[in-house]
Amino acid sequence: MAAIDESDLTMGEDTVMASTEINGEQGANATVDPSEIFRRLNSPQFSPRKEQLPYSLKVPSASKQYYIPNASTHYSRESSSEPESDAMDITPSKSTAVEIRVPPPPRFPPLPYSSSKTGLVYDPRMRFHAEFPDFMMNPEDIHPEDPRRIHEIFEEIHQAGLVQGPDDPDEEASEEQCWRIEARSATTAEICLIHTAEHYIFIESLQDKSAIELKDISDSLDSIYFNNATFECAKLAAGGAIEACRAVVRGDVRNAIAIIRPPGHHAESNAPSGFCIFNNVPIATRVCQKNFPETCRKVLILDWDVHHGNGVQHAFYDDPNVLYISLHVFRGGNFYPNLPDGDYNFCGEGPGLGRNVNIPWADHGMGDAEYIYAFQEVIMPVATEFDPDLVIISAGFDAAEGDVLGGCHVTPACYAHMTHMLMRMAKGKIVVCLEGGYNLRSIARSALAVTRTLMLQPPERLADGLSPKESAVRTIEQVKREQSKYWKCLYPKQLDKNDPSFHATKRLHDIIREWQSQTLSAEYRMTPLAINKAELTQSFEHNVIATPNFMERHPLLVVFHDPPTVKSIPDPVTGRMELHNTWLTDVAKDYVGWAIHNDFQVIDVNIPKVVSIEDDNGGYIRSDDSEARAHQTRELAAYIWENYIEPHDATQVFFMGIGAAYLGLVDLLSNYENCTEPDSPVQCLIGFVSETSIQSIRRATDDNIAGWYYAHSLVFVQNSHHVWDPNRQRKLRKKWGKLIRSPKEKLDEMLTTHQDEVQAYLLKKKSEYEAELEQARLADERQQQQGLRSPPLASGMRSPRLLEQPRQGSVPTNNTKSKDMPPLGLFSVSTPRSPHGSPLRSDFPRR
Ligand SMILES: [Zn+2]
């Protein structure tokens, strides 16, 4: 096929009426001018045919020439299913005395908007753009941008009785039907409002290329096919969009739907891509702005195609008068068009800054809940503030339920709701232009729902209990924060880095930790431990603090905890957190204080919610990087064990893990055999678990590890934790440790409730050790008296009462705040921790 045969381009199966010509009228609907009803009532052809359409007004038969305004029965029920032999169910019953009067002629044209019609563009010639059949390929393997797409949509609307079809008897279309708007070829000048002349000439040249040449060219480009009809079809699609928009702007029709292809929104000014040749919607936008500078200045383009409309974004990126909003699957830029440009922080530039709104879904799977949420939270507020003169929907239906390529679940009802919401903008001037959508059934059903809505049919109800996915809520929150710089209606506002006072801001997170560090230092002379490991240093600076003698021969409590929690009563009007109405809860500190008073040495480890802030630009930081946090906690636990506990002399080591931090300690016990050997100083793990899952101890080479862990742990678990649910957990396992059901739910409450219990346990363990030590000392003495042994070690364990004095002055001063401190060895000059004869480690040689 060298060029398009003239006859191919004539009106084929459908007869398209000239633009703005009424197709005729029949029946009536609720919004029609009453005087019209009367005129038709007198006409012999009148038959109330389209009663199946909800909200149609059932009018009396021709013989009844009166009108009863007060009788509610005039207004039909929803569709009546039974075939009615008589459409006169509104005729007043004979027994009812009803006032009958003839209404006066209307003084004003009533409801001009609702009595005008919806326009529809469809031209079967746009089906000629098709992929050349490849005879090597499976005939089933049809390109998704299939010419049948537009036919399927048109037929659906036709079958619903909303538009005259080509084979319909040659009668006038009824009041309820769409008004056909003729598609024409867009002119060169119109297309070049968006595209370069080179691009236009290139597409034009495809008409004369051979099949092989076309295949080669398309293979060199991005997701596109061509044939010799491509140029004409693309011009028709653009022209269809233009005429639909012009008819709406002029007021010839109430609103319009353009069933056009090839689609447009991926086409760049100088290149076709993603099944798109000319960018129909931007071309129509520019034409309307040019033709109607007074009445069509500001245009909102809402793109609900599942792909980002890169071409539309780029066409108007610096234009303050075109607001482009796109909802699309983004997946970090790993979904077509695979550009970073679809991300939320692409907001326009120059005078167009803030006139580009991307809502980039993190993944597939979004549905009605997420789309409605986006409309309510971002799109409608922004659209209202923008106040456009015309709304164009780039209506791809590839986010529809059933479209495999899009993988989303938007129902026809949701498309109807979205249309309905946008219909209140721009005095109802809205045009729906088809973009993608590849499941023929899905696109037809969705487009029908949209068409019905344009024709003033209220949308179907949405499913009950819609609730947006957490990932979608986060996306919307991100968009709002970014766009709140440009839109008065959007909150929360971001910190303004250009604010002169910005340099004086500091995260409360840092302030509190520094304060904690200082308090612990002042009260207990605790000092920060250096963490000299590249990936941990930044995250845990100031977060690991120890009492001065933690390396010496004392019991040692190692507490891993979350940062203190903040409780606030925000101002009811501003929502702002004020310092005088904000409280800090730090129950972990109670344990630290208690332990020190009871002669334990303590290492206090705060695990920040956000473990590393790479680019602290004052913005919001998500707190859900739990993976990174768990990883860092594990690394830190191992580091502290290797450098600060295992090489030194603590007589007993008690691990305490609060919240998610406990996971890192279970991992430590799993991975380090020397934690659980019989001569290990590790006495137990005390865990506090609320939302976190229960971690089991695991060691491939040791079958007894579960038994050891059960005997050496106390894990307090919140009352409602699923581990207690007999439907989910048949029985408790030893590898989970000794689980204790707390009557409380929150960590702070649990810590307070079980404080006595934990403290009693620690003291008991400590005194058991002291008793054993004492016995060992006595045994040694006896042996010595019997002359059987050489003298014992220089000193036994220090008496707790003597601890206060030696601590003075023994602070390793260079241990404080120095990043250069060697990680181990420097201070391990004290006497060995293990007394000979201690029953705890008597069978094992001292290291
Ligand atoms: Zn698409």
Side-chain angles (χ1 to χ4, degrees), residues 265 305-307 398 436 438:
H265 74 152
D305 187 285
V306 81
H307 302 97
D398 39 10
Y438 308 102

Side-chain angles (χ1 to χ4, degrees), residues 149 263 265-266 274-276 303-308 335-336 396-399 403 405-406 435-438:
R149 295 168 61 238
H265 74 152
H266 296 306
F275 318 159
C276 300
D303 186 338
W304 70 39
D305 187 285
V306 81
H307 302 97
H308 179 237
F335 187 60
Y336 195 85
F397 292 110
D398 39 10
D403 192 297
L405 215 140
E435 299 280 0
Y438 308 102

Side-chain angles (χ1 to χ4, degrees), residues 39 57 166 194 249 274 285 324 355 437 480 517 525 608 612 691 747-748 789 831:
R39 191 181 61 72
L57 172 62
I194 292 297
V249 173
T285 303
Y324 177 64
R355 293 289 187 267
K480 285 195 321 194
S517 176
R525 306 180 54 246
S612 64
E691 267 99 52
L747 285 174
D748 285 345
R789 291 282 301 264
T831 50

Side-chain angles (χ1 to χ4, degrees), residues 377-393:
E377 292 289 312
V378 175
I379 297 170
M380 292 318 296
V382 164
T384 306
E385 189 173 329
F386 180 65
D387 189 23
D389 301 313
L390 173 67
V391 177
I392 308 178
I393 301 180

Side-chain angles (χ1 to χ4, degrees), residues 304-544:
W304 70 39
D305 187 285
V306 81
H307 302 97
H308 179 237
N310 51 298
V312 187
Q313 171 167 313
H314 295 152
F316 302 114
Y317 207 55
D318 58 357
D319 188 333
N321 289 321
V322 178
L323 168 58
Y324 177 64
I325 307 179
S326 176
L327 298 129
H328 49 267
V329 171
F330 184 59
R331 279 180 50 193
N334 292 310
F335 187 60
Y336 195 85
N338 299 310
L339 299 170
D341 306 38
D343 211 350
Y344 71 95
N345 53 355
F346 283 73
C347 303
E349 65 187 11
L353 189 58
R355 293 289 187 267
N356 196 83
V357 179
N358 284 324
I359 301 178
W361 301 131
D363 210 339
H364 299 278
M366 303 302 165
D368 294 4
E370 291 77 22
Y371 277 76
I372 295 290
Y373 185 69
F375 263 71
Q376 290 174 335
E377 292 289 312
V378 175
I379 297 170
M380 292 318 296
V382 164
T384 306
E385 189 173 329
F386 180 65
D387 189 23
D389 301 313
L390 173 67
V391 177
I392 308 178
I393 301 180
S394 267
F397 292 110
D398 39 10
E401 179 75 66
D403 192 297
V404 194
L405 215 140
C408 288
H409 310 290
V410 179
T411 65
C414 182
Y415 282 116
H417 276 269
M418 295 192 288
T419 309
H420 195 255
M421 285 190 255
L422 289 168
M423 279 166 70
R424 73 175 169 79
M425 308 308 308
K427 292 183 76 178
K429 291 188 187 300
I430 180 169
V431 182
V432 178
C433 293
L434 183 65
E435 299 280 0
Y438 308 102
N439 177 318
L440 296 179
R441 282 315 303 149
S442 301
I443 60 174
R445 288 169 58 227
S446 308
L448 174 61
V450 167
T451 309
R452 282 189 196 277
T453 310
L454 291 175
M455 298 173 82
L456 306 183
Q457 172 80 1
E460 293 293 323
R461 300 175 80 147
L462 296 164
D464 279 350
L466 290 180
S467 152
K469 284 182 205 292
E470 205 180 296
S471 109
V473 174
R474 290 204 182 280
T475 301
I476 297 295
E477 180 200 309
Q478 223 166 18
V479 172
K480 285 195 321 194
R481 225 175 17 249
E482 191 68 27
Q483 294 288 343
S484 66
K485 297 176 202 163
Y486 316 111
W487 300 96
K488 292 190 192 113
C489 60
L490 291 186
Y491 285 83
K493 304 288 182 196
Q494 218 166 143
L495 283 186
D496 183 1
K497 275 183 273 176
N498 299 319
D499 186 324
S501 67
F502 181 76
H503 73 277
T505 59
K506 193 166 183 182
R507 283 183 191 277
L508 206 52
H509 155 95
D510 297 328
I511 294 172
I512 289 175
R513 190 56 197 170
E514 272 179 42
W515 166 82
Q516 272 189 319
S517 176
Q518 282 164 13
T519 314
L520 292 173
S521 164
E523 289 182 25
Y524 308 115
R525 306 180 54 246
M526 292 176 81
T527 53
L529 296 188
I531 306 295
N532 286 343
K533 189 171 178 186
E535 58 175 304
L536 296 175
T537 305
Q538 192 195 0
S539 299
F540 295 105
E541 209 187 347
H542 291 291
N543 285 306
V544 183

